[in-house]
Amino acid sequence: MVMKNRPPQFKADAVALYQSRPEATIRQVAADLGINPETPRNWVRAAGASRPRGRRAEVPTEPSAPLEAENAALRKKVRELEEEREILRKAAKYFGRGDALVNRFQFVADHQRRHGVKRLCTILGIARSSFYYWRRTAAIRASRQAADARLAARIRAVHRESDGTYGVPRITAELREAGERVNHKRIARVMRGAGLAGVRLRRRHRTTVADPAAAKAPDLIGRDFTASKPNTKYVGDITYLPLESGKFLYLATVIDLASRRLTGWAIADHMRTGLVTDALAAAERTRGSLAGAVMHTDHGAPCTSRAFADACRQAGVRQSMSAIGSSADNALAESFNATFKRETLQGRRTWSSEREARLDAFRWLHRYNTRRRHSRLGQRSPIAYETALDTTSTNVAPAA
């Protein structure tokens, strides 16, 4: 279902994306866009594109002799202070954080030669039998910690590959698909220990401006954001992309309810009707035809315009509209917009420039279709889900 002949703008955006990410290889950019690595490599060569190299680290100069003498004196003073506060440092080391019982066991193990196990256990309020059991099982704990360290390294790799957006469910699915037999509770525990977490949902802002005088269409969805097969029911919406300058870009999307695939999108610096008609045209190019499909939107002025209604009729699409002022009637599209901004901005309030916003959108929107796992699709990407549907339908034998 992936287009083979890419439009010139797609090629230009792919080259710009490669140039904007010095740390990424062409293979990684191609994976995000769901295309063969040789394709963007040829585009880069044809464009004669290059990207800046990282600046070489400055070689620190040797400190002067007076400064070195002063540093030596300071280091000596620090050592003296450390020796004077030895007991306080020991207390902070063993009891300042972590598992209190394990800290007590470790303290006994480290100081038993000087004070004896019996006396230390009495002072710390622990049973000697518990301490001896803890010491006997040290090898098992070390093995478990080593296994957790290896798992943490794999989790960090997946988390980093997702741009820090994946939480426990998606990381679990990613590791299981790679052959890792691991429980999601263990992944949650290791992620907490490593200080890793997915990007969380933030409060959404209402952006729809309805036109009371515009023509209305019936609600053919009725908050049922499901479909039995692709290319039958779509939802669309517009969201704003805030820029540091105080201006905005606007993103219009068309999403398939069966596979959650983003079939069409458009970005512009305005919210006129051309924005939504461009997104609809992109969806039509992706599918080949939208004839008979339902297109559900809110009552924003671009979606209730005569030009958009004409574009829907020409594409053979039946228009559907949510109730005025009810975000729940177009909840899936609004949820998509919230996820997009949450995972691209990652806590920031704005993009620094229009170019940065466009490239972030270009990368994330293609990655959403080709790689990002969706909980409603069994932790598969939309294109992987559609491919599985095609394979299943092909393998089903016809009825006798």
Side-chain angles (χ1 to χ4, degrees):
M1 292 187 179
V2 180
M3 294 185 293
K4 293 184 178 180
N5 295 322
R6 304 289 179 175
Q9 187 60 46
F10 181 97
K11 298 178 181 178
D13 287 343
V15 172
L17 178 62
Y18 170 73
Q19 289 180 293
S20 70
R21 302 181 64 223
E23 78 285 358
T25 64
I26 287 185
R27 185 174 295 278
Q28 291 172 331
V29 172
D32 286 343
L33 302 181
I35 58 180
N36 187 285
E38 286 302 317
T39 302
R41 183 174 286 110
N42 291 334
W43 294 342
V44 170
R45 289 172 181 167
S50 62
R51 54 187 182 181
R53 298 179 179 272
R55 293 184 300 176
R56 297 178 60 184
E58 296 181 359
V59 179
T61 59
E62 290 294 331
S64 62
L67 182 60
E68 179 60 30
E70 183 179 352
N71 288 340
L74 290 174
R75 287 195 293 268
K76 180 179 178 181
K77 185 63 176 178
V78 168
R79 287 196 298 271
E80 291 174 353
L81 291 173
E82 288 177 350
E83 290 172 357
E84 291 172 1
R85 306 188 64 179
E86 180 180 358
I87 296 177
L88 294 177
R89 290 203 316 272
K90 287 181 179 179
K93 177 180 178 181
Y94 285 91
F95 309 117
R97 60 184 180 182
D99 189 321
L101 183 59
V102 171
N103 288 336
R104 283 181 283 176
F105 288 153
Q106 190 63 55
F107 187 87
V108 172
D110 291 346
H111 297 83
Q112 59 181 323
R113 288 181 177 272
R114 176 178 297 182
H115 304 289
V117 173
K118 180 178 180 180
R119 183 183 177 191
L120 289 173
C121 287
T122 301
I123 294 173
L124 298 177
I126 57 178
R128 278 183 287 169
S129 59
S130 298
F131 166 72
Y132 288 127
Y133 174 79
W134 175 84
R135 190 170 63 178
R136 189 168 60 250
T137 57
I140 298 175
R141 290 196 309 278
S143 176
R144 185 184 302 119
Q145 290 170 357
D148 283 351
R150 291 191 295 271
L151 177 60
R154 290 190 286 272
I155 289 174
R156 285 192 185 92
V158 174
H159 190 259
R160 184 169 53 252
E161 181 66 18
S162 72
D163 293 334
T165 61
Y166 276 11
V168 172
R170 290 187 174 92
I171 288 181
T172 302
E174 191 82 19
L175 293 179
R176 286 178 177 173
E177 187 173 284
E180 186 83 32
R181 297 181 62 184
V182 62
N183 184 277
H184 70 280
K185 293 182 180 179
R186 184 183 175 200
I187 290 180
R189 174 177 58 80
V190 173
M191 288 184 68
R192 283 196 302 271
L196 298 177
V199 179
R200 299 182 182 275
L201 182 65
R202 297 184 64 185
R203 187 175 180 180
R204 295 194 296 267
H205 297 274
R206 177 177 171 81
T207 58
T208 301
V209 180
D211 181 0
K216 305 298 186 293
D219 185 351
L220 305 179
I221 296 293
R223 299 188 182 181
D224 177 15
F225 300 109
T226 62
S228 58
K229 59 182 181 178
N231 201 24
T232 56
K233 293 165 67 176
Y234 293 91
V235 293
D237 199 12
I238 300 174
T239 190
Y240 67 94
L241 280 58
L243 305 179
E244 196 173 87
S245 63
K247 297 181 179 180
F248 298 92
L249 292 178
Y250 298 92
L251 169 67
T253 54
V254 179
I255 304 170
D256 193 307
L257 288 182
S259 63
R260 301 299 198 264
R261 181 175 180 177
L262 179 66
T263 55
W265 57 278
I267 294 180
D269 58 359
H270 61 79
M271 264 185 33
R272 295 189 291 273
T273 304
L275 179 65
V276 290
T277 56
D278 285 348
L280 183 66
E284 192 172 17
R285 288 194 300 271
T286 298
R287 292 304 193 192
S289 173
L290 300 177
V294 172
M295 180 65 190
H296 183 77
T297 64
D298 58 23
H299 277 79
C303 297
T304 57
S305 65
R306 183 184 299 275
F308 184 67
D310 291 342
C312 288
R313 279 193 296 271
Q314 292 174 9
V317 171
R318 293 182 294 159
Q319 272 192 281
S320 170
M321 292 185 185
S322 58
I324 297 178
S326 175
S327 60
D329 288 351
N330 202 23
L332 189 143
E334 295 199 13
S335 175
F336 175 90
N337 292 336
T339 299
F340 162 72
K341 286 195 279 191
R342 183 172 69 247
E343 295 190 359
T344 50
L345 285 172
Q346 296 195 17
R348 297 175 297 162
R349 293 184 178 275
T350 62
W351 279 275
S352 62
S353 65
E354 178 178 332
R355 181 176 185 271
E356 182 190 39
R358 286 181 180 273
L359 288 177
D360 277 358
F362 178 72
R363 177 173 183 257
W364 190 92
L365 294 173
H366 283 285
R367 183 188 180 94
Y368 170 86
N369 277 338
T370 60
R371 302 185 67 180
R372 188 184 184 279
R373 296 179 182 274
H374 201 297
S375 57
R376 291 295 183 89
L377 306 178
Q379 297 297 357
R380 288 174 288 185
S381 70
I383 288 182
Y385 179 79
E386 288 190 359
T387 301
L389 286 181
D390 289 343
T391 302
T392 301
S393 62
T394 302
N395 292 337
V396 173

